[in-house]
Amino acid sequence: MVFHVYEDAKSACEAGAVLMAAEILKRDDCVLGLATGSTPIPTYEKLVSMYQAGILDFSNVRSFNLDEYVGIDYANPVSYHAFMNENLFSKVNMKQENIHLPDGCTDEDGARYDKAIREAGGVDIQLLGIGRNGHIGFNEPCDCFPIGTHVVTLTESTIQANARFFSSADEVPRKAISMGIGNIMSARAVLLIATGADKADAVYRTICGPVTPQVPASVLQLHPCCTILLDKAAASKLG
Ligand code: F6R
């Protein structure tokens, strides 16, 4: 695990875009694992600008997103389908058939998603944000590390954190379908970006704490190729 600390969030996120761009340049049909949330927005902006400048071509790039709410209308702007469309897919030349997000509401739907990832040859680089409780994807603190894509019940802390995207916390779906820790650990490279003081504790526990499913991101200590990009605020507890 290596980590880099940047002066501000924009630089950390743009460094993330550089790592993802390198993957696309190495293999034009590479498989990107993608995340939603506020953190990676500048990363997507940078990737879009590199596409617009003619530096990157997404025509053969394939992608698998980490997660999606269960039961949400994908046309709803707060769905992860709509988020990805708005921030990346509609702005680069990716082919619709190369874009994948988890879909459905059962663990069988999750198993189908895992099969599609395997058939694509696995994820080359998995982009991650992190929750204040150390969650990655929708893998919330629990007693074990979930392996494959599965249906999860959101914790109260995640519902409250995500309420900012909805008109009220009551509207946040209570369930999601998410890649498991096994999926994330199977990616050939993992790139976690954390920005802002509210992530400092989760970042500290991820990098310096014991590996425990109570801090799901701590498992990344065991990944052979994990890069963590931080701004100063998120790194403030690292000493
Ligand atoms: C998003 C995801 C989540 C977020 C995390 C941080 O696909 O899987 O784990 O990465 O909740 O969200 P932000 O970036 O909004 O703080």
Side-chain angles (χ1 to χ4, degrees):
M1 176 184 266
V2 292
F3 68 91
H4 302 285
V5 182
Y6 292 88
E7 202 55 41
D8 54 42
K10 188 164 182 275
S11 307
C13 293
E14 292 192 352
V18 171
L19 279 180
M20 296 181 78
E23 215 62 49
I24 298 170
L25 293 173
K26 277 191 270 176
R27 231 189 66 211
D28 72 342
D29 65 344
C30 73
V31 179
L32 303 179
L34 300 176
T36 60
S38 314
T39 309
I41 291 176
T43 305
Y44 292 135
E45 282 170 357
K46 187 70 184 172
L47 286 171
V48 169
S49 79
M50 285 193 263
Y51 164 70
Q52 287 167 342
I55 297 167
L56 293 179
D57 173 15
F58 286 79
S59 58
N60 292 320
V61 169
R62 296 164 293 160
S63 72
F64 287 86
N65 261 79
L66 277 171
D67 43 19
E68 176 59 285
Y69 293 114
V70 165
I72 199 160
D73 177 356
Y74 297 151
N76 185 331
V78 293
S79 76
Y80 290 176
H81 280 74
F83 174 98
M84 288 308 304
N85 210 34
E86 154 103 29
N87 288 288
L88 185 68
F89 300 149
S90 67
K91 296 180 173 165
V92 297
N93 61 337
M94 279 185 77
K95 296 192 183 95
Q96 199 55 45
E97 68 263 28
N98 288 339
I99 293 170
H100 307 86
L101 284 93
D103 174 38
C105 57
T106 66
D107 288 343
E108 289 68 46
D109 295 319
R112 259 194 299 281
Y113 195 64
D114 293 345
K115 185 162 174 272
I117 296 172
R118 278 196 303 278
E119 286 172 356
V123 170
D124 290 303
I125 186 163
Q126 177 66 57
L127 174 62
L128 299 173
I130 185 171
R132 278 176 275 182
N133 60 5
H135 74 225
I136 45 178
F138 272 120
N139 296 283
E140 302 283 3
C142 68
D143 294 335
C144 63
F145 290 117
I147 306 295
T149 304
H150 59 294
V151 175
V152 280
T153 301
L154 270 54
T155 62
E156 195 49 38
S157 101
T158 299
I159 291 168
Q160 293 305 329
N162 290 6
R164 67 193 192 278
F165 300 114
F166 294 79
S167 39
S168 76
D170 289 345
E171 290 191 10
V172 181
R174 267 37 187 177
K175 285 186 186 288
I177 180 163
S178 174
M179 280 190 197
I181 295 295
N183 299 102
I184 292 168
M185 292 298 280
S186 299
R188 283 179 275 282
V190 173
L191 163 60
L192 184 144
I193 306 177
T195 57
D198 60 336
K199 301 293 174 66
D201 191 50
V203 165
Y204 175 78
R205 294 200 289 154
T206 295
I207 296 176
C208 305
V211 174
T212 164
Q214 293 301 332
V215 184
S218 65
V219 76
L220 298 175
Q221 291 177 29
L222 305 177
H223 194 283
C225 183
C226 173
T227 305
I228 301 187
L229 303 176
L230 306 168
D231 67 355
K232 278 188 156 173
S236 59
K237 296 204 172 158
L238 294 177

